[in-house]
Amino acid sequence: QLQLQESGPGLVKPSETLSLTCTISGGSISSSSYYFWGWIRQPPGKGLEWIGNIYYSGRTSYNPSLRSRVTISVDTSKNHFSLKLSSVTAADTAVYYCARSTYYDLWSGYLPEGGWFDPWGQGTLVTVSS
Amino acid sequence: DIQLTQSPSSLSASVGLRVIITCRASQGISNYLAWYQQKPGKVPELLIYAASTLQSGVPSRFSGSGSGTDFTLTISSLQPEDVATYYCQKYNSVPLTFGGGTKVEIK
């Protein structure tokens, strides 16, 4: 059974860079040509915001609202992918989730930027504060 | 960007009743819509994709319909374990966007 687990610092200072890693178990990033791997965040008490997706080849797709500050990368040798968000402020305080996003489905065909998200990691709270 | 508007933002209903949640897109998105359930303090879980395809393992009391701009998530007989916030998500184009959520409670 595929499982995803986020890891990284729970506290980041304003103006610094938030860095998280999502480690996959029960499956391989490089053998999953039908999927993207994505990051989604949820500020406390608020809704969900998509950050971006990455394919195992390294091709990325970002939310335009965050593109200037986001970098998502993949390390197939370690079976994980990572998120970097620069110049953080208190508004970036959120639970950060990693998830698998469908790239190809028999009925939907190719979804070039990604599709629905399943499964999700447990999430990790990142607080931006000095 | 295409916006998703869910209604109502919250509802309270008795056990056994039918519940309908609506998600409206500001432009047509064909059937590129998913629904998620997030129970209090838990991780979102996929219920439905492609507007009406039930994810494996999801109870059959959940169903989805719609195409274009108007979509619905129906719980045919509300159960206590369905207390959660429900989100729709579009994936026809970037940015992938979620609706604002509908909080469902038991009356």
Side-chain angles (χ1 to χ4, degrees):
Chain A
Q1 182 181 357
L2 188 75
Q3 293 186 314
L4 294 81
Q5 180 66 58
E6 305 88 350
S7 60
L11 181 64
V12 181
K13 290 182 168 55
S15 80
E16 295 189 345
T17 296
L18 177 160
S19 296
L20 296 174
T21 295
C22 180
T23 301
I24 296 160
S25 58
S28 169
I29 282 184
S30 57
S31 66
S32 302
S33 59
Y34 289 167
Y35 300 103
F36 281 100
W37 304 92
W39 288 97
I40 303 108
R41 69 180 183 178
Q42 185 172 35
K46 297 189 178 181
L48 299 162
E49 180 181 33
W50 172 67
I51 300 170
N53 288 345
I54 190 164
Y55 196 53
Y56 77 97
S57 64
R59 180 167 83 85
T60 54
S61 178
Y62 295 141
N63 190 326
S65 69
L66 297 169
R67 180 180 288 130
S68 64
R69 298 194 292 132
V70 172
T71 302
I72 297 176
S73 59
V74 63
D75 188 334
T76 55
S77 67
K78 295 181 179 178
N79 215 33
H80 73 208
F81 62 105
S82 301
L83 168 69
K84 291 187 185 301
L85 181 65
S86 64
S87 305
V88 298
T89 70
D92 295 309
T93 293
V95 175
Y96 285 76
Y97 296 101
C98 60
R100 187 180 68 177
S101 181
T102 297
Y103 171 53
Y104 173 79
D105 171 75
L106 183 63
W107 304 110
S108 300
Y110 286 97
L111 303 169
E113 310 296 345
W116 55 90
F117 294 96
D118 179 71
W120 296 54
Q122 287 301 301
T124 187
L125 175 63
V126 179
T127 301
V128 179
S129 174
S130 55
Chain B
D1 293 353
I2 298 173
Q3 308 299 320
L4 295 180
T5 303
Q6 287 185 233
S7 60
S9 56
S10 66
L11 66 89
S12 180
S14 299
V15 171
L17 291 190
R18 185 172 70 173
V19 167
I20 298 175
I21 298 168
T22 296
C23 179
R24 175 163 291 174
S26 58
Q27 298 176 40
I29 58 171
S30 184
N31 70 333
Y32 296 111
L33 190 95
W35 290 96
Y36 300 87
Q37 176 192 64
Q38 185 176 31
K39 295 182 178 181
K42 301 297 185 182
V43 178
E45 292 188 350
L46 177 69
L47 294 175
I48 286 167
Y49 59 93
S52 60
T53 302
L54 198 66
Q55 171 69 346
S56 176
V58 173
S60 59
R61 64 180 179 275
F62 291 93
S63 64
S65 66
S67 183
T69 60
D70 294 312
F71 303 85
T72 59
L73 172 70
T74 300
I75 308 173
S76 61
S77 177
L78 187 66
Q79 300 299 306
E81 61 266 32
D82 300 334
V83 168
T85 299
Y86 294 84
Y87 295 95
C88 56
Q89 177 229 332
K90 73 157 189 74
Y91 50 89
N92 66 309
S93 63
V94 167
L96 309 184
T97 306
F98 293 86
T102 296
K103 187 174 183 178
V104 174
E105 298 176 322
I106 300 293
K107 188 180 293 184

